[in-house]
Amino acid sequence: MKFFVDTANIDDIKELNDYGLLDGVTTNPSLIAKSGRDFKEVIAEICKVVAGPVSAEVAAMDFDGMVAEGEHLAKIADNVVIKLPLTLDGLKACRHFTAKGIKTNVTLCFAANQALLAAKAGATYISPFVGRLDDLNIDGMELIHEIRTIFDNYGFKTEILAASIRSANHVKEAAIAGADVATIPPGVIKGLADHALTDKGLDQFAKDWAATGQSIL
Ligand code: G3P
């Protein structure tokens, strides 16, 4: 499963990229607002740091507006992916960009039938929001399983990008469900390396090593 980081914070992106943990980046209007940065400037900067796909979301709600904005954003860098909402206009815009060879990420997916429409529109990625379904006491991960089954039934090439991932358990469950990608907040990615028994074992090794009085170098 590929790891995208779900943030527009350039310091977090650089840090995770240096660890070799990043396959791509996703942003959304809320994350851009949180960064306090100019949208196009920060996307250009992220694209220089990360070689993989970087999702940049349109703000327009209508087809013509989405096409105009998406074409503008696509010129920022070759690895920009145009993020479009799962609406009829968004799906039409997805078909437009796919025909032009521009990658798309169809976002705000909460139902398997919506994912089916995105796949039929030729989306590169579909983003089902796991955490926001869980917030409503609906099993978000079940949606990933359903989409995986549907896409495999028909050989759709659209990649399942598990979004609204909030915990290490979400990451594990998305991988078990066969998501192609998970987009994950920076803190959750770093937390995946944590285990109390790893810390305890390291403490013991450090004490025992010190007691030997040896040095490797
Ligand atoms: O970028 C889309 C998605 O990952 C947002 O997550 O936590 O705001 O529901 P969240």
Side-chain angles (χ1 to χ4, degrees):
M1 184 170 72
K2 285 175 270 192
F3 277 15
F4 291 179
V5 66
D6 201 23
T7 187
N9 182 303
I10 196 73
D11 294 331
D12 286 334
I13 291 169
K14 282 179 180 165
E15 183 188 3
L16 289 164
N17 197 51
D18 285 348
Y19 284 126
L21 289 173
L22 280 198
D23 299 300
V25 178
T26 54
T27 64
N28 63 38
S30 305
L31 294 170
I32 296 295
K34 197 174 160 195
S35 78
R37 299 273 312 269
D38 175 82
F39 179 30
K40 289 178 279 177
E41 249 176 53
V42 79
I43 292 294
E45 197 176 340
I46 295 169
C47 288
K48 280 189 190 133
V49 172
V50 178
V54 175
S55 288
E57 187 159 343
V58 297
M61 304 284 175
D62 64 300
F63 170 75
D64 289 334
M66 288 182 203
V67 166
E69 290 180 359
E71 289 187 351
H72 191 67
L73 292 170
K75 286 186 190 133
I76 294 176
D78 289 344
N79 51 337
V80 167
V81 173
I82 304 306
K83 203 169 176 187
L84 301 156
L86 212 154
T87 60
L88 290 174
D89 278 30
L91 292 167
K92 189 175 169 187
C94 174
R95 191 171 292 285
H96 166 90
F97 287 115
T98 299
K100 293 186 85 171
I102 294 171
K103 289 187 177 164
T104 54
N105 174 359
V106 177
T107 190
L108 291 166
C109 170
F110 295 94
N113 280 334
Q114 291 182 311
L116 179 57
L117 289 180
K120 287 172 75 66
T124 314
Y125 303 100
I126 178 69
S127 289
F129 277 35
V130 172
R132 291 192 196 185
L133 283 169
D134 286 356
D135 290 343
L136 301 179
N137 284 327
I138 297 166
D139 183 357
M141 210 50 73
E142 180 57 25
L143 176 59
I144 306 292
H145 283 281
E146 288 175 355
I147 299 171
R148 182 72 282 155
T149 301
I150 291 168
F151 284 10
D152 289 349
N153 282 348
Y154 297 99
F156 284 121
K157 296 289 175 240
T158 298
E159 294 194 37
I160 302 171
L161 196 171
S164 189
I165 292 285
R166 309 263 180 81
S167 65
N169 202 44
H170 273 158
V171 176
K172 180 184 78 175
E173 292 296 333
I176 290 169
D180 299 287
V181 191
T183 189
I184 315 167
V188 175
I189 296 185
K190 283 191 262 178
L192 296 177
D194 293 342
H195 199 288
L197 291 177
T198 304
D199 295 342
K200 191 178 168 199
L202 265 181
D203 279 351
Q204 189 62 50
F205 287 158
K207 279 182 197 135
D208 291 345
W209 177 247
T212 71
Q214 299 181 47
S215 82
I216 295 176
L217 298 176

